[in-house]
RNA sequence: GCUGGCGUGGCUCAGUGGUAGAGCAGUCGAUUCGUAAUCGACAGGUCGAGGGUUCAAAUCCCUCCGCCAGCUCCA
């Protein structure tokens, strides 16, 4: 079933390529695979494709569908295929062919033929429900030193209903985009004067502080200490840590008293200095040291994306210094910690990747092998399925990455656990073992949220802005029915505030309906409506943003119920 | 950084060569209202920045900045 839809999308890609070739016969074909929910095809083409062109291509595709062309597979020798694609003047296909085995396959449909291993559906007639979406640039073979091609993305389904449902889903997803909600709910902004450097507004700060309070409480429970290291440190430190050799491109530098300083892109070198401030006993280990550390990284301008991808962010970092014998238990502990936060508190679905030694790495292969194996062992012990991300580790060690999905299905790395034998070596970290000998500790770098900024972005989309009570910037909006109840509303507001709730009153001379609507749009969890009836009897009328009118009650039980809801983080 | 698109009041958008418009939000006034929009008035923009073409530029051209989609890269 899944394979059939993939074949259908792959065929849709061929139909699109055929349509493009009919409209622009000089187009050079690159590749055109099926992807999640659709397909794309890359073209090298003098003409710059516009959205009007997309309609024209769609029109041509519909003709091809009507022609009911059968897809015919042919097996060719490589030599024959080279001849074929040379005759067709398709250099990218020839480049692909050079790496293929002696026997290759092509698929024909009418006058169109493409190098392809398949499978496909039987006829272009089956590609009925599709839509071309966008055209964007993409490097040939994903290599930024190669030519940039034009990529057309499309979506295709086996039924009209599925296609329409998917298009509706995309529309709904756009509504929960954290950048849109961040503006509407007045959580944060990014100004032209600081691309990638977000401003947090009062309401965004409430969420941020609630997350940090939660974070601190959970870390204390798990035996962490908290520290704060400086934003800026001498360049020499970054030479010692390996960042200058391996991470310089992403770093900001400045000068103080004719000395070069770097703004930290990571917290670990500062953490190393803190560890080294005194001698440690084996009895001190594992030493778990957390830091909400603000780091700055120069990201490519085109990569910036709301709070998800910024140039300065706060990592909820921690460095765990361990005896070699403690490594596996500590990794497992962090895996459990992350799962407890993601699954139990926020109800996220996530997937895990294991990233191995990158091209620019410090430390020898044996060390990398040992560290990678330790991460694998921990994952196996926790029974966590994972995919391997070859060559994507940090330059100082392999890592386990936890990925969360945004509203349109893009995934973002949040949590990560990195095992590092290199940094302790470089900084000559030691502890005194029970035999009195100086020995080398192992070290773990890890984050739970990843970056607070990105995590807030993910949370905003996850909840579509309707944050649970414990995170909601305004928890209760008091709404007097008319000006006559403003005084009573104020008393209610004060009383709830004294209980520690975040309350506001809407005392504008507007209709109740309008004030309720405003609170609903701000996704305030509870509205307390007070009119003449309530003012006289000392009661309140409660409305919930999702459950609607909950009827009358008094302050005391209402307040207790909310405090309970907050305590349980529902 | 690259390819393409876009940039008009706080927000959403209209205006494509002839001295800047709407709705929402805001302010003021009237209304005093019972669970998602009461009525009226007022105020608010050197049209992203700089340069050029023109009698005349939001509109055409150039450069830069920023944003959006994707690629590359990553928390």
């Amino acid at each position: 079933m899944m394979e059939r839809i993939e074949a259908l999308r792959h065929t849709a890609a061929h139909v699109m390529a055929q349509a493009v070739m009919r409209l622009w016969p000089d187009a050079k074909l690159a590749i055109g695979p099926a992807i999640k929910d659709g397909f794309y095809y890359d073209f090298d083409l003098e003409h710059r494709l516009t959205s009007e062109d997309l309609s024209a291509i769609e029109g041509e595709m519909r003709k091809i569908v009507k022609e009911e062309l059968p897809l015919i597979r042919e097996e060719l020798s490589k030599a024959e295929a080279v001849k074929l694609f040379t005759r067709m003047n398709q250099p990218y296909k020839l480049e692909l062919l050079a790496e293929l085995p002696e026997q290759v396959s092509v698929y024909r449909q009418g006058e169109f033929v493409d190098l392809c291993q398949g499978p496909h559906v039987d006829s272009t007639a089956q590609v009925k429900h599709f839509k071309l979406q966008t055209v964007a640039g993409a490097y040939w073979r994903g290599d930024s030193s190669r030519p940039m091609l034009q990529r057309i993305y499309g979506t295709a389904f086996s039924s009209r209903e599925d296609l329409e449902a998917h298009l509706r889903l995309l529309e709904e997803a756009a509504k929960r985009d954290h950048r849109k909600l961040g503006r509407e709910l007045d959580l944060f902004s990014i100004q032209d004067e600081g691309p990638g450097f977000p401003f947090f507004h009062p309401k965004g700060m409430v969420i941020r502080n609630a997350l940090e309070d939660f974070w601190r409480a959970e870390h204390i429970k798990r035996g962490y200490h908290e520290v704060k290291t400086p934003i800026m440190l001498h360049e020499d430190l970054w030479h010692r840590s390996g960042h200058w050799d391996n991470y310089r491109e992403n770093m900001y530098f400045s000068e103080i008293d004719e000395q070069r300083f770097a703004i930290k892109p990571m917290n670990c070198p500062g953490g190393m200095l803190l560890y080294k401030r005194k001698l440690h006993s084996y009895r001190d280990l594992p030493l778990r040291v957390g830091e909400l550390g603000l780091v700055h990284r120069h990201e490519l301008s085109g990569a910036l994306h709301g709070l998800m991808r910024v140039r300065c962010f706060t990592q909820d970092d921690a460095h765990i210094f361990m005896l070699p014998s403690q490594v596996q238990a500590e990794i497992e502990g962090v895996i459990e910690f992350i799962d407890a936060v993601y699954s139990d508190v926020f109800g996220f679905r996530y997937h895990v990747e294991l990233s191995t030694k990158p091209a620019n790495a410090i430390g020898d292969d044996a060390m990398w092998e040992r560290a990678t194996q330790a991460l694998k062992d921990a994952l196996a012990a926790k029974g966590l399925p994972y995919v391997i991300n070859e060559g994507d580790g940090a330059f100082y060690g392999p890592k386990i990455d936890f990925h969360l999905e945004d509203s349109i299905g893009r995934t973002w790395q949040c949590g990560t656990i990195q095992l590092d034998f290199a940094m302790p070596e470089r900084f000559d970290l030691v502890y005194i073992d029970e035999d009195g000998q100086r020995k080398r500790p192992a070290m773990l770098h890890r984050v739970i949220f990843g970056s607070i900024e990105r995590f807030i972005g993910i949370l905003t989309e996850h909840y579509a802005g309707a944050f649970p009570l414990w995170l909601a910037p305004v928890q209760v909006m008091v709404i007097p029915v008319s000006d006559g109840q403003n005084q009573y509303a104020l008393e209610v507001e004060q009383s709830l505030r004294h209980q520690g709730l975040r309350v506001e009153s809407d005392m504008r001379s507007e209709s109740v309906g309008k004030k309720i609507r405003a609170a609903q749009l701000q996704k305030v969890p509870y509205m307390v409506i007070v009119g003449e009836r309530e003012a006289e009897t000392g009661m309140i009328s409660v409305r919930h943003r999702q459950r609607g009118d909950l009827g009358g009650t008094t302050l005391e039980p209402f307040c207790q119920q909310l405090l309970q809801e907050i305590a349980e983080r529902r």
Side-chain angles (χ1 to χ4, degrees), chain A residues 20-48:
Chain A
V20 168
M21 290 303 292
R22 283 184 181 182
L23 295 169
W24 294 277
D26 61 329
K28 303 286 176 275
L29 301 174
I31 54 164
I35 52 172
K36 184 172 184 283
D37 300 327
F39 59 91
Y40 69 78
Y41 212 112
D42 289 346
F43 305 94
D44 192 352
L45 180 61
E46 198 67 32
H47 172 76
R48 297 286 113 182

mmCIF file of all heavy atoms in Angstrom, chain A residues 20-48:
data_model
loop_
_atom_site.group_PDB
_atom_site.id
_atom_site.type_symbol
_atom_site.label_atom_id
_atom_site.label_comp_id
_atom_site.label_asym_id
_atom_site.label_seq_id
_atom_site.Cartn_x
_atom_site.Cartn_y
_atom_site.Cartn_z
ATOM 1 N N VAL A 20 7.605 19.303 -18.599
ATOM 2 C CA VAL A 20 8.624 20.349 -18.692
ATOM 3 C C VAL A 20 9.416 20.210 -19.985
ATOM 4 O O VAL A 20 9.694 21.196 -20.681
ATOM 5 C CB VAL A 20 9.557 20.306 -17.457
ATOM 6 C CG1 VAL A 20 10.783 21.187 -17.666
ATOM 7 C CG2 VAL A 20 8.797 20.751 -16.211
ATOM 8 N N MET A 21 9.738 18.956 -20.355
ATOM 9 C CA MET A 21 10.486 18.738 -21.602
ATOM 10 C C MET A 21 9.672 19.162 -22.824
ATOM 11 O O MET A 21 10.223 19.636 -23.819
ATOM 12 C CB MET A 21 10.879 17.261 -21.748
ATOM 13 C CG MET A 21 11.940 16.787 -20.768
ATOM 14 S SD MET A 21 13.480 17.725 -20.822
ATOM 15 C CE MET A 21 14.115 17.256 -22.430
ATOM 16 N N ARG A 22 8.351 18.973 -22.749
ATOM 17 C CA ARG A 22 7.511 19.399 -23.883
ATOM 18 C C ARG A 22 7.497 20.921 -23.995
ATOM 19 O O ARG A 22 7.503 21.476 -25.084
ATOM 20 C CB ARG A 22 6.081 18.902 -23.688
ATOM 21 C CG ARG A 22 5.924 17.421 -24.002
ATOM 22 C CD ARG A 22 4.470 17.004 -23.881
ATOM 23 N NE ARG A 22 4.315 15.580 -24.164
ATOM 24 C CZ ARG A 22 3.113 14.972 -24.162
ATOM 25 N NH1 ARG A 22 2.016 15.655 -23.895
ATOM 26 N NH2 ARG A 22 3.042 13.681 -24.423
ATOM 27 N N LEU A 23 7.470 21.597 -22.822
ATOM 28 C CA LEU A 23 7.377 23.057 -22.829
ATOM 29 C C LEU A 23 8.735 23.712 -23.052
ATOM 30 O O LEU A 23 8.830 24.763 -23.665
ATOM 31 C CB LEU A 23 6.767 23.533 -21.509
ATOM 32 C CG LEU A 23 5.307 23.093 -21.279
ATOM 33 C CD1 LEU A 23 4.880 23.372 -19.843
ATOM 34 C CD2 LEU A 23 4.377 23.805 -22.248
ATOM 35 N N TRP A 24 9.795 23.102 -22.527
ATOM 36 C CA TRP A 24 11.157 23.640 -22.680
ATOM 37 C C TRP A 24 12.077 22.490 -23.104
ATOM 38 O O TRP A 24 12.739 21.868 -22.263
ATOM 39 C CB TRP A 24 11.654 24.249 -21.365
ATOM 40 C CG TRP A 24 10.888 25.457 -20.945
ATOM 41 C CD1 TRP A 24 11.086 26.745 -21.380
ATOM 42 C CD2 TRP A 24 9.794 25.516 -20.017
ATOM 43 N NE1 TRP A 24 10.180 27.586 -20.780
ATOM 44 C CE2 TRP A 24 9.374 26.868 -19.941
ATOM 45 C CE3 TRP A 24 9.120 24.566 -19.253
ATOM 46 C CZ2 TRP A 24 8.317 27.280 -19.138
ATOM 47 C CZ3 TRP A 24 8.076 24.979 -18.448
ATOM 48 C CH2 TRP A 24 7.675 26.333 -18.390
ATOM 49 N N PRO A 25 12.123 22.207 -24.405
ATOM 50 C CA PRO A 25 12.860 21.018 -24.878
ATOM 51 C C PRO A 25 14.342 21.038 -24.527
ATOM 52 O O PRO A 25 14.982 19.992 -24.540
ATOM 53 C CB PRO A 25 12.656 21.067 -26.403
ATOM 54 C CG PRO A 25 11.415 21.881 -26.589
ATOM 55 C CD PRO A 25 11.420 22.898 -25.492
ATOM 56 N N ASP A 26 14.894 22.225 -24.183
ATOM 57 C CA ASP A 26 16.326 22.262 -23.863
ATOM 58 C C ASP A 26 16.593 21.989 -22.380
ATOM 59 O O ASP A 26 17.732 22.051 -21.940
ATOM 60 C CB ASP A 26 16.909 23.628 -24.247
ATOM 61 C CG ASP A 26 16.252 24.766 -23.477
ATOM 62 O OD1 ASP A 26 15.048 24.641 -23.140
ATOM 63 O OD2 ASP A 26 16.929 25.780 -23.199
ATOM 64 N N ALA A 27 15.545 21.682 -21.595
ATOM 65 C CA ALA A 27 15.742 21.431 -20.163
ATOM 66 C C ALA A 27 16.634 20.215 -19.952
ATOM 67 O O ALA A 27 16.543 19.227 -20.679
ATOM 68 C CB ALA A 27 14.397 21.213 -19.485
ATOM 69 N N LYS A 28 17.513 20.338 -18.955
ATOM 70 C CA LYS A 28 18.365 19.200 -18.596
ATOM 71 C C LYS A 28 17.794 18.584 -17.323
ATOM 72 O O LYS A 28 17.539 19.282 -16.346
ATOM 73 C CB LYS A 28 19.798 19.669 -18.333
ATOM 74 C CG LYS A 28 20.418 20.415 -19.509
ATOM 75 C CD LYS A 28 20.788 19.474 -20.640
ATOM 76 C CE LYS A 28 21.310 20.232 -21.858
ATOM 77 N NZ LYS A 28 20.219 20.702 -22.744
ATOM 78 N N LEU A 29 17.631 17.266 -17.370
ATOM 79 C CA LEU A 29 17.004 16.583 -16.237
ATOM 80 C C LEU A 29 18.038 16.166 -15.209
ATOM 81 O O LEU A 29 19.088 15.628 -15.570
ATOM 82 C CB LEU A 29 16.274 15.333 -16.731
ATOM 83 C CG LEU A 29 15.169 15.573 -17.773
ATOM 84 C CD1 LEU A 29 14.646 14.242 -18.285
ATOM 85 C CD2 LEU A 29 14.052 16.396 -17.157
ATOM 86 N N ALA A 30 17.740 16.394 -13.933
ATOM 87 C CA ALA A 30 18.624 15.903 -12.872
ATOM 88 C C ALA A 30 17.936 14.691 -12.236
ATOM 89 O O ALA A 30 17.846 13.654 -12.868
ATOM 90 C CB ALA A 30 18.897 17.003 -11.868
ATOM 91 N N ILE A 31 17.407 14.838 -11.030
ATOM 92 C CA ILE A 31 16.735 13.699 -10.422
ATOM 93 C C ILE A 31 15.329 14.071 -9.971
ATOM 94 O O ILE A 31 15.019 15.246 -9.765
ATOM 95 C CB ILE A 31 17.519 13.143 -9.204
ATOM 96 C CG1 ILE A 31 17.802 14.271 -8.202
ATOM 97 C CG2 ILE A 31 18.795 12.475 -9.655
ATOM 98 C CD1 ILE A 31 18.210 13.772 -6.845
ATOM 99 N N GLY A 32 14.484 13.071 -9.795
ATOM 100 C CA GLY A 32 13.094 13.340 -9.436
ATOM 101 C C GLY A 32 12.480 12.222 -8.620
ATOM 102 O O GLY A 32 11.758 11.380 -9.139
ATOM 103 N N PRO A 33 12.746 12.199 -7.331
ATOM 104 C CA PRO A 33 12.245 11.109 -6.492
ATOM 105 C C PRO A 33 10.866 11.398 -5.873
ATOM 106 O O PRO A 33 10.390 12.532 -5.909
ATOM 107 C CB PRO A 33 13.286 11.041 -5.376
ATOM 108 C CG PRO A 33 13.710 12.463 -5.217
ATOM 109 C CD PRO A 33 13.660 13.075 -6.588
ATOM 110 N N ALA A 34 10.271 10.338 -5.328
ATOM 111 C CA ALA A 34 9.100 10.498 -4.473
ATOM 112 C C ALA A 34 9.608 10.878 -3.091
ATOM 113 O O ALA A 34 10.656 10.408 -2.659
ATOM 114 C CB ALA A 34 8.321 9.192 -4.399
ATOM 115 N N ILE A 35 8.880 11.773 -2.418
ATOM 116 C CA ILE A 35 9.238 12.143 -1.049
ATOM 117 C C ILE A 35 7.977 12.056 -0.196
ATOM 118 O O ILE A 35 6.911 11.735 -0.708
ATOM 119 C CB ILE A 35 9.828 13.575 -0.977
ATOM 120 C CG1 ILE A 35 8.883 14.563 -1.670
ATOM 121 C CG2 ILE A 35 11.202 13.623 -1.612
ATOM 122 C CD1 ILE A 35 9.275 16.020 -1.485
ATOM 123 N N LYS A 36 8.122 12.385 1.079
ATOM 124 C CA LYS A 36 6.978 12.391 1.978
ATOM 125 C C LYS A 36 5.866 13.270 1.386
ATOM 126 O O LYS A 36 6.107 14.422 1.073
ATOM 127 C CB LYS A 36 7.418 12.943 3.337
ATOM 128 C CG LYS A 36 6.360 12.918 4.406
ATOM 129 C CD LYS A 36 6.970 13.303 5.759
ATOM 130 C CE LYS A 36 5.974 13.208 6.886
ATOM 131 N NZ LYS A 36 5.016 14.319 6.933
ATOM 132 N N ASP A 37 4.706 12.735 1.193
ATOM 133 C CA ASP A 37 3.519 13.448 0.697
ATOM 134 C C ASP A 37 3.594 13.899 -0.762
ATOM 135 O O ASP A 37 2.673 14.542 -1.242
ATOM 136 C CB ASP A 37 3.196 14.693 1.547
ATOM 137 C CG ASP A 37 2.924 14.334 2.997
ATOM 138 O OD1 ASP A 37 2.383 13.242 3.235
ATOM 139 O OD2 ASP A 37 3.280 15.126 3.875
ATOM 140 N N GLY A 38 4.682 13.601 -1.465
ATOM 141 C CA GLY A 38 4.715 14.094 -2.839
ATOM 142 C C GLY A 38 5.951 13.689 -3.605
ATOM 143 O O GLY A 38 6.441 12.567 -3.483
ATOM 144 N N PHE A 39 6.460 14.629 -4.365
ATOM 145 C CA PHE A 39 7.591 14.347 -5.239
ATOM 146 C C PHE A 39 8.239 15.661 -5.631
ATOM 147 O O PHE A 39 7.680 16.741 -5.393
ATOM 148 C CB PHE A 39 7.093 13.636 -6.512
ATOM 149 C CG PHE A 39 6.088 14.441 -7.286
ATOM 150 C CD1 PHE A 39 6.491 15.308 -8.294
ATOM 151 C CD2 PHE A 39 4.720 14.366 -6.983
ATOM 152 C CE1 PHE A 39 5.567 16.085 -8.999
ATOM 153 C CE2 PHE A 39 3.791 15.137 -7.678
ATOM 154 C CZ PHE A 39 4.215 15.995 -8.690
ATOM 155 N N TYR A 40 9.439 15.560 -6.225
ATOM 156 C CA TYR A 40 10.020 16.754 -6.861
ATOM 157 C C TYR A 40 10.825 16.300 -8.052
ATOM 158 O O TYR A 40 11.078 15.101 -8.239
ATOM 159 C CB TYR A 40 10.874 17.565 -5.875
ATOM 160 C CG TYR A 40 12.167 16.936 -5.405
ATOM 161 C CD1 TYR A 40 13.311 16.916 -6.212
ATOM 162 C CD2 TYR A 40 12.272 16.389 -4.118
ATOM 163 C CE1 TYR A 40 14.504 16.358 -5.768
ATOM 164 C CE2 TYR A 40 13.462 15.830 -3.670
ATOM 165 C CZ TYR A 40 14.575 15.815 -4.494
ATOM 166 O OH TYR A 40 15.743 15.260 -4.045
ATOM 167 N N TYR A 41 11.200 17.249 -8.885
ATOM 168 C CA TYR A 41 12.138 16.958 -9.960
ATOM 169 C C TYR A 41 13.019 18.182 -10.100
ATOM 170 O O TYR A 41 12.541 19.310 -9.975
ATOM 171 C CB TYR A 41 11.406 16.656 -11.279
ATOM 172 C CG TYR A 41 12.185 15.654 -12.136
ATOM 173 C CD1 TYR A 41 11.695 14.363 -12.373
ATOM 174 C CD2 TYR A 41 13.414 16.004 -12.676
ATOM 175 C CE1 TYR A 41 12.426 13.442 -13.115
ATOM 176 C CE2 TYR A 41 14.145 15.083 -13.422
ATOM 177 C CZ TYR A 41 13.651 13.811 -13.636
ATOM 178 O OH TYR A 41 14.384 12.899 -14.363
ATOM 179 N N ASP A 42 14.332 17.958 -10.294
ATOM 180 C CA ASP A 42 15.279 19.058 -10.472
ATOM 181 C C ASP A 42 15.604 19.227 -11.952
ATOM 182 O O ASP A 42 15.873 18.235 -12.642
ATOM 183 C CB ASP A 42 16.583 18.768 -9.715
ATOM 184 C CG ASP A 42 16.404 18.865 -8.201
ATOM 185 O OD1 ASP A 42 15.372 19.397 -7.772
ATOM 186 O OD2 ASP A 42 17.297 18.394 -7.464
ATOM 187 N N PHE A 43 15.584 20.480 -12.411
ATOM 188 C CA PHE A 43 15.872 20.785 -13.813
ATOM 189 C C PHE A 43 16.953 21.832 -13.896
ATOM 190 O O PHE A 43 17.013 22.740 -13.066
ATOM 191 C CB PHE A 43 14.625 21.363 -14.504
ATOM 192 C CG PHE A 43 13.404 20.495 -14.395
ATOM 193 C CD1 PHE A 43 12.487 20.707 -13.366
ATOM 194 C CD2 PHE A 43 13.184 19.470 -15.305
ATOM 195 C CE1 PHE A 43 11.358 19.902 -13.255
ATOM 196 C CE2 PHE A 43 12.060 18.664 -15.184
ATOM 197 C CZ PHE A 43 11.140 18.876 -14.168
ATOM 198 N N ASP A 44 17.781 21.703 -14.921
ATOM 199 C CA ASP A 44 18.695 22.782 -15.266
ATOM 200 C C ASP A 44 18.083 23.418 -16.503
ATOM 201 O O ASP A 44 17.906 22.739 -17.523
ATOM 202 C CB ASP A 44 20.094 22.229 -15.560
ATOM 203 C CG ASP A 44 21.132 23.348 -15.628
ATOM 204 O OD1 ASP A 44 20.736 24.539 -15.608
ATOM 205 O OD2 ASP A 44 22.334 23.029 -15.702
ATOM 206 N N LEU A 45 17.733 24.698 -16.377
ATOM 207 C CA LEU A 45 16.924 25.315 -17.419
ATOM 208 C C LEU A 45 17.233 26.794 -17.456
ATOM 209 O O LEU A 45 17.241 27.471 -16.415
ATOM 210 C CB LEU A 45 15.447 25.083 -17.061
ATOM 211 C CG LEU A 45 14.350 25.609 -17.964
ATOM 212 C CD1 LEU A 45 14.467 24.991 -19.341
ATOM 213 C CD2 LEU A 45 12.998 25.259 -17.353
ATOM 214 N N GLU A 46 17.498 27.300 -18.668
ATOM 215 C CA GLU A 46 17.816 28.719 -18.823
ATOM 216 C C GLU A 46 16.661 29.575 -18.309
ATOM 217 O O GLU A 46 16.852 30.514 -17.545
ATOM 218 C CB GLU A 46 18.063 29.005 -20.317
ATOM 219 C CG GLU A 46 18.794 30.292 -20.585
ATOM 220 C CD GLU A 46 20.238 30.253 -20.068
ATOM 221 O OE1 GLU A 46 20.878 29.163 -20.066
ATOM 222 O OE2 GLU A 46 20.709 31.310 -19.639
ATOM 223 N N HIS A 47 15.455 29.223 -18.745
ATOM 224 C CA HIS A 47 14.250 29.965 -18.341
ATOM 225 C C HIS A 47 14.036 29.851 -16.834
ATOM 226 O O HIS A 47 14.133 28.771 -16.259
ATOM 227 C CB HIS A 47 13.049 29.393 -19.097
ATOM 228 C CG HIS A 47 11.739 29.938 -18.625
ATOM 229 N ND1 HIS A 47 11.312 31.196 -18.949
ATOM 230 C CD2 HIS A 47 10.771 29.398 -17.841
ATOM 231 C CE1 HIS A 47 10.138 31.410 -18.382
ATOM 232 N NE2 HIS A 47 9.780 30.338 -17.705
ATOM 233 N N ARG A 48 13.739 30.999 -16.173
ATOM 234 C CA ARG A 48 13.462 30.980 -14.727
ATOM 235 C C ARG A 48 11.990 30.653 -14.514
ATOM 236 O O ARG A 48 11.127 31.400 -14.975
ATOM 237 C CB ARG A 48 13.756 32.352 -14.095
ATOM 238 C CG ARG A 48 15.194 32.777 -14.185
ATOM 239 C CD ARG A 48 16.079 32.005 -13.232
ATOM 240 N NE ARG A 48 17.001 31.150 -13.995
ATOM 241 C CZ ARG A 48 17.873 30.321 -13.450
ATOM 242 N NH1 ARG A 48 17.957 30.211 -12.144
ATOM 243 N NH2 ARG A 48 18.653 29.582 -14.206
#
